[in-house]
Amino acid sequence: MRITLADLQKMKAAGERIAMITAYDFPSARIADRAGVPLLLVGDSLGMVVLGHDTTLPVTLDDMIRHAGAVVRGSETALVVCDLPFLTYASEADAVTSVRRIMQETGAQAVKLEGGAPILPIVRRLTELGVPVMGHLGFTPQSQNQLGVKVQARDVVGARQLLKDAKALEAAGAFAVVLELVPAALARAVSARLTIPTIGIGAGVGCDGQVQVWHDLLGLFEGKTPRHARRFAEIGKAIEAAVTGYVAEVRAGSFPTDAHSAKMDPADLAEALDAEAVLN
Ligand code: KIV
């Protein structure tokens, strides 16, 4: 049985913090699911950490569908949320078409949309149609060309707008909202004023849950780790060491050994080679 929206609501009410993580493929989903992660996000961060783009903007609906399908197949318990990629929900009609494809072709249970006031009618429409919607406020990567990659809502006007947008998303039917790169005190205040869970990333410990990108958490991403991320392991280095060892053993002829190789009756081989001699 998968986690439900009601379960998440209960976790918020009980003050039980929610750990969400991104997943992009079958094996990562399986590991996260077994580790007890209740919420898996097939984020459009896929564009950067898996597909090698600089931003999330080139990610297509087909990309999301391919990866979300794998994450759903790899998980049994977690609720799977799939990001709607850039400009695939610019109108209500576009949003409905995109969500229909995501939910029917992948089996994901929910979708995430970025933005506040401008997307409220879309969130309302989708939730009326029975689609669980997660909001995303603060730094919204699909608008990074307007916003810049930086902490949002630091001043009075920005903070008021964020609070207003969060409440409006809740009223429109969102079941949770991601707060990304928002001052911790503001995120805590927003979390206290909402009945739905807030999931923070770079928004402090006062949120109802946290989300981290798989590659950041596991040390699979080259370059500078964002301030809000912590490497809980150095899997990238472990993989590099393993592959280096493999290359060295292939070069040295020490891999594969007899134990890794199929056997044949030597008499059969001799006979076959005799036949070859006859043929040649
Ligand atoms: O795409 C993503 O991974 C996200 C998280 C950073 C919240 O939206």
Side-chain angles (χ1 to χ4, degrees), residues 22 24 41 43-45 83 112 114 136 178 180 201 211 213:
T22 64
Y24 312 97
L41 172 64
D44 59 359
S45 48
D83 263 342
K112 177 164 78 60
E114 294 183 5
H136 185 156
V178 167
E180 180 165 0
I201 175 163
V211 57
V213 169

Side-chain angles (χ1 to χ4, degrees), residues 125-207:
R125 184 75 191 122
L126 290 174
T127 54
E128 276 167 8
L129 292 170
V131 177
V133 175
M134 178 178 270
H136 185 156
L137 295 172
F139 172 64
T140 44
Q142 292 172 12
S143 307
Q144 76 171 71
N145 289 328
Q146 278 181 335
L147 300 176
V149 184
K150 58 176 192 223
V151 175
Q152 303 293 310
R154 266 197 152 129
D155 59 7
V156 176
V157 175
R160 280 197 183 138
Q161 186 63 49
L162 186 105
L163 182 56
K164 195 172 160 200
D165 285 344
K167 284 187 165 168
L169 280 170
E170 174 175 275
F175 73 89
V177 57
V178 167
L179 300 177
E180 180 165 0
L181 299 189
V182 169
L186 173 62
R188 182 184 289 279
V190 171
S191 307
R193 283 163 178 75
L194 296 187
T195 58
I196 57 172
T198 59
I199 309 289
I201 175 163
V205 77
C207 295

Side-chain angles (χ1 to χ4, degrees), residues 193-268:
R193 283 163 178 75
L194 296 187
T195 58
I196 57 172
T198 59
I199 309 289
I201 175 163
V205 77
C207 295
D208 301 301
Q210 300 293 324
V211 57
Q212 287 284 294
V213 169
W214 180 262
H215 295 65
D216 290 342
L217 193 92
L218 296 176
L220 275 168
F221 197 66
E222 273 179 30
K224 208 170 151 255
T225 309
R227 182 174 62 174
H228 56 75
R230 181 177 145 203
R231 290 181 177 232
F232 283 78
E234 289 293 348
I235 305 295
K237 287 193 182 127
I239 293 175
E240 192 174 328
V243 176
T244 306
Y246 163 69
V247 171
E249 291 216 14
V250 169
R251 285 204 182 125
S254 51
F255 175 85
T257 63
D258 284 351
H260 301 109
S261 312
K263 293 176 186 47
M264 182 180 183
D265 186 332
D268 288 345

